[in-house]
Amino acid sequence: MRRQTIQEKIKIIQFMWVIFILIFSGVSLVLLSTDLQAVEIMKLTEIKTGMKGEGKSIFKGTQIESFPFTVLGVIEKFVPDKDLIIVELESPVFDNIGIISGMSGSPAYINGKLIGAIAYGFKYSQKPIGGITPIEDILKTSEYNIPSFTIDISTIKVEFDKKNLLSIADVVKRELAKRINFNPNQALTPIRLIGTHRGFTPSALSYWAPVFSWFSPLPTAGSTSTAGMPISTSTSADKNSGQLDIKSIAGNKDLLKVSPADAVSIPLIIGDFEFSSVGAVTHVDGEKVYVFGHPFFNLGTVDFPLHKSEVLSVVPSYAESFKLAATRNMVGRAVQDRFSAVQCELGKLPYMIPMNVYLKNRNQKFKIEMVNHPLLTPVLSAFSMLNIFSSQYQEFGFQSIKVEGKIFIEGEKNIVINDLYSGTDSFVDFSNLLLAINFFLLNNKEKNIKIQKLDFEISGSETVRIANIENAIIDKRSYLPGEVMNITVYLRNERGRAFTEKLTIKAPDLKPDTDFYLLVADNGEMGRFDSKNIRSSFFPIKLSFLIRAINNLRKNNRLYFKLMTPTRGLFVKGYEYPNLPSSLQDVFMYDRSPVYDVSSGIQSRIKFSTITEYQLEFPTVVKGKKLFKLKIKERSDG
């Protein structure tokens, strides 16, 4: 028998050592899993009035502290199919300050058994009396497996004038408000989460106050919050917390571990400025983590980051005491945002949407990442853009912004934005446009999309740049088919300086003695004319049609010249069909299928048919309109 070489013996030893490590790791994982799942739970039916228990939370740093409580009773059918345990907290920690905002999700135990999460409190109560969400309801959040959230937007016009943009922003605000105002009892309310922010201005926060209204409304030292939504400001210690992802800390398992009562946060925006909400961990079951004991935004299936947090201090207040907290490293993601809790997964990365903004005048770059959600992403993109404008431009008096940008969509054409905004509302106008575009994209009817990133390059000007049309003159009132039309437009800018623009277009190739019209107008006036002419509520179902409609948006810094005839036509599924013979019109009108039925709004008769449309770019925003009625004349024999 051949004797083993030294190299062969070394290989055998190495192989056995690997097997030993694998076995030991497996045993360790089993022990860890057993340790995490060792907590017993107490069913609601076992809980009786007068029972004594122990709650756990963090009031300073990362040190978990215990406090006693007494069960006062159970509110049955707090909401349909859900009960709530009422307890009185008895620790000196709560003397004179009551329930503390930011402790939502703090676990509660009786005889070492977990009964649920401290998640509710009574308004204006002089005693620290709270409501506990039963652990049985909390654990049910992991049973949900519902497709991504979307809302029906088919009744919303795909129009981007100022009025409709404000309307769309209002729709989003009301939808979020409806979901977060879930509490059926106005006296017994969810313990507020602590909204922590870094790098946000008072104007940006106040504008979006209704959306984030149920985060802690109390200011902390150094807070810049106003208008009913002061929220605690993160300290410089967590300045780069958003840059730490799971991959960068994978080598340190302690950083990925959380325990019941730990402070955790769900950031909505991370990067050069941040916005998060802080609560507590209720229960850890392997990789599953349950937090808050009540909803975050009540959005169902989600994909949000989960970070650890550090409690800097408890701030007493006559109105509502709260924890001052700072966001730390990422540990996983939130996957379910339900009535009884938010369920998370440790060690899993969420998908975040990057947004990069370069301000040329300031030579300033901003890089952030936002959560990916059909309702929140539109709000956060507008929120972030408005914050950049108000922090970097407003103090310098900038009132005009030139925007060049792209929204990159996986597997689809990019959205291209190239426009000028001017006036006191210019920042809000563009922010609302960004909200509307993302809102339509993420809630389109055809399919779920993946926004890869948003890139913008913006130039600011410290003057209002608006020119008004004072007059427009054409060289005559009747033309031969195809004859050159000379048009002169007289304008006056914001400083009162008059200037003219000249251009030539060809008269339409129509039969002699045919009337036609020339409309010279800005984008808003053109949009209003189209609305009156088309009167259709058609919404693009196909994503490619929606993207095309967005990319074809008329611009603020353009003057448009539309040639049209008073010939009746049809508008069908987003397309204009001018000069249709009456026989073909009858065919369309006769078909009452869901695709072509006039009553469905998918098609409509139009009074004016567009022949062609031109545009002229200006260095300013253009306002005004002029309408001409013209005629095609016969050619003379000479």
Side-chain angles (χ1 to χ4, degrees), residues 12-145:
I12 291 171
I13 293 172
Q14 288 175 336
F15 177 78
M16 293 178 66
W17 178 246
V18 169
I19 295 297
F20 173 77
I21 291 175
L22 289 173
I23 293 173
F24 180 79
S25 299
V27 171
S28 299
L29 289 173
V30 169
L31 290 174
L32 177 60
S33 177
T34 302
D35 180 63
L36 290 173
Q37 297 178 7
V39 176
E40 293 185 60
I41 68 170
M42 178 177 286
K43 294 181 179 180
L44 186 63
T45 54
E46 302 176 56
I47 298 173
K48 307 298 179 184
T49 299
M51 280 185 164
K52 299 290 185 178
E54 178 185 60
K56 293 184 178 182
S57 196
I58 294 177
F59 304 105
K60 178 72 174 178
T62 58
Q63 183 65 41
I64 296 173
E65 299 181 37
S66 300
F67 51 88
F69 65 80
T70 300
V71 175
L72 300 180
V74 174
I75 297 179
E76 296 183 354
K77 306 300 180 184
F78 169 64
V79 296
D81 197 37
K82 296 188 186 298
D83 302 328
L84 197 68
I85 306 164
I86 305 300
V87 299
E88 181 176 353
L89 312 183
E90 299 172 346
S91 171
V93 172
F94 305 105
D95 288 349
N96 302 318
I97 64 173
I99 300 289
I100 301 170
S101 293
M103 64 180 295
S104 293
S106 297
Y109 304 86
I110 293 178
N111 298 327
K113 295 182 179 181
L114 180 62
I115 67 168
I118 301 171
Y120 290 83
F122 287 88
K123 282 186 176 180
Y124 313 118
S125 173
Q126 293 182 340
K127 290 186 176 182
I129 296 176
I132 293 178
T133 303
I135 185 60
E136 294 159 284
D137 289 335
I138 291 172
L139 295 177
K140 288 178 182 178
T141 59
S142 62
E143 298 175 4
Y144 292 97
N145 186 18

Side-chain angles (χ1 to χ4, degrees), residues 26-322:
V27 171
S28 299
L29 289 173
V30 169
L31 290 174
L32 177 60
S33 177
T34 302
D35 180 63
L36 290 173
Q37 297 178 7
V39 176
E40 293 185 60
I41 68 170
M42 178 177 286
K43 294 181 179 180
L44 186 63
T45 54
E46 302 176 56
I47 298 173
K48 307 298 179 184
T49 299
M51 280 185 164
K52 299 290 185 178
E54 178 185 60
K56 293 184 178 182
S57 196
I58 294 177
F59 304 105
K60 178 72 174 178
T62 58
Q63 183 65 41
I64 296 173
E65 299 181 37
S66 300
F67 51 88
F69 65 80
T70 300
V71 175
L72 300 180
V74 174
I75 297 179
E76 296 183 354
K77 306 300 180 184
F78 169 64
V79 296
D81 197 37
K82 296 188 186 298
D83 302 328
L84 197 68
I85 306 164
I86 305 300
V87 299
E88 181 176 353
L89 312 183
E90 299 172 346
S91 171
V93 172
F94 305 105
D95 288 349
N96 302 318
I97 64 173
I99 300 289
I100 301 170
S101 293
M103 64 180 295
S104 293
S106 297
Y109 304 86
I110 293 178
N111 298 327
K113 295 182 179 181
L114 180 62
I115 67 168
I118 301 171
Y120 290 83
F122 287 88
K123 282 186 176 180
Y124 313 118
S125 173
Q126 293 182 340
K127 290 186 176 182
I129 296 176
I132 293 178
T133 303
I135 185 60
E136 294 159 284
D137 289 335
I138 291 172
L139 295 177
K140 288 178 182 178
T141 59
S142 62
E143 298 175 4
Y144 292 97
N145 186 18
I146 299 174
S148 299
F149 167 94
T150 57
I151 66 173
D152 180 22
I153 56 174
S154 60
T155 58
I156 304 173
K157 289 184 178 180
V158 187
E159 294 178 1
F160 296 86
D161 60 279
K162 185 170 184 175
K163 182 179 179 181
N164 203 46
L165 289 179
L166 289 171
S167 175
I168 294 168
D170 186 58
V171 166
V172 176
K173 288 180 181 180
R174 282 190 284 108
E175 183 68 24
L176 278 171
K178 181 175 70 176
R179 291 181 167 275
I180 63 179
N181 293 328
F182 58 89
N183 188 48
N185 188 325
Q186 294 304 309
L188 186 60
T189 61
I191 299 173
R192 294 181 185 270
L193 301 172
I194 295 296
T196 66
H197 73 85
R198 179 179 60 81
F200 276 93
T201 66
S203 57
L205 290 168
S206 62
Y207 186 76
W208 285 105
V211 174
F212 305 111
S213 61
W214 82 281
F215 293 149
S216 177
L218 301 173
T220 65
S223 174
T224 58
S225 308
T226 59
M229 198 196 73
I231 50 180
S232 66
T233 307
S234 300
T235 64
S236 59
D238 65 329
K239 182 176 181 180
N240 297 315
S241 62
Q243 311 306 318
L244 291 174
D245 60 19
I246 289 175
K247 293 178 182 178
S248 64
I249 60 175
N252 191 335
K253 292 183 179 180
D254 289 337
L255 291 176
L256 284 175
K257 189 170 71 173
V258 296
S259 302
D262 275 350
V264 290
S265 64
I266 296 180
L268 300 177
I269 302 170
I270 58 176
D272 288 334
F273 45 87
E274 298 171 8
F275 191 94
S276 303
S277 59
V278 179
V281 175
T282 304
H283 180 52
V284 181
D285 181 7
E287 291 183 352
K288 292 182 181 179
V289 178
Y290 302 87
V291 304
F292 297 172
H294 58 59
F296 180 35
F297 276 97
N298 209 22
L299 294 174
T301 301
V302 295
D303 185 23
F304 298 160
L306 178 70
H307 285 235
K308 293 188 76 169
S309 289
E310 179 183 352
V311 178
L312 305 179
S313 179
V314 171
V315 180
S317 169
Y318 289 111
E320 186 174 352
S321 300
F322 59 97

Side-chain angles (χ1 to χ4, degrees), residues 418-581:
N418 184 359
D419 209 347
L420 176 67
Y421 298 82
S422 190
T424 55
D425 295 330
S426 57
F427 299 160
V428 174
D429 289 346
F430 175 64
S431 298
N432 283 343
L433 173 70
L434 187 58
L435 180 149
I437 290 174
N438 286 323
F439 180 66
F440 283 132
L441 289 174
L442 290 166
N443 291 280
N444 79 88
K445 286 186 171 184
E446 185 182 15
K447 58 183 177 181
N448 293 330
I449 68 165
K450 183 178 182 180
I451 296 179
Q452 296 173 310
K453 64 175 179 175
L454 299 87
D455 282 348
F456 295 98
E457 185 173 284
I458 299 172
S459 301
S461 172
E462 293 193 26
T463 60
V464 174
R465 294 165 60 185
I466 298 177
N468 292 290
I469 299 174
E470 291 198 323
N471 201 2
I473 298 175
I474 56 177
D475 53 350
K476 47 189 175 180
R477 292 288 175 170
S478 59
Y479 296 88
L480 294 170
E483 185 179 355
V484 171
M485 302 169 58
N486 295 297
I487 307 169
T488 304
V489 183
Y490 296 85
L491 305 103
R492 191 174 297 275
N493 68 13
E494 71 283 347
R495 295 185 178 181
R497 185 178 68 84
F499 64 100
T500 60
E501 289 289 342
K502 296 182 178 181
L503 76 154
T504 60
I505 59 177
K506 287 186 177 182
D509 189 10
L510 300 173
K511 293 180 180 180
D513 203 35
T514 301
D515 290 333
F516 71 99
Y517 292 83
L518 170 64
L519 177 60
V520 181
D522 63 64
N523 67 331
E525 292 292 348
M526 280 290 180
R528 282 184 280 277
F529 175 84
D530 288 344
S531 295
K532 291 179 181 178
N533 183 40
I534 295 174
R535 296 184 180 277
S536 171
S537 58
F538 169 72
F539 189 93
I541 294 178
K542 288 188 67 65
L543 177 60
S544 58
F545 290 0
L546 177 61
I547 291 174
R548 184 191 65 192
I550 294 172
N551 280 329
N552 288 339
L553 288 178
R554 295 189 179 100
K555 316 296 183 185
N556 295 316
N557 60 340
R558 305 286 200 281
L559 191 58
Y560 293 90
F561 302 82
K562 182 196 285 282
L563 290 172
M564 54 195 170
T565 65
T567 307
R568 291 184 179 274
L570 287 180
F571 181 84
V572 181
K573 298 181 69 177
Y575 288 95
E576 186 179 327
Y577 295 89
N579 303 317
L580 281 178

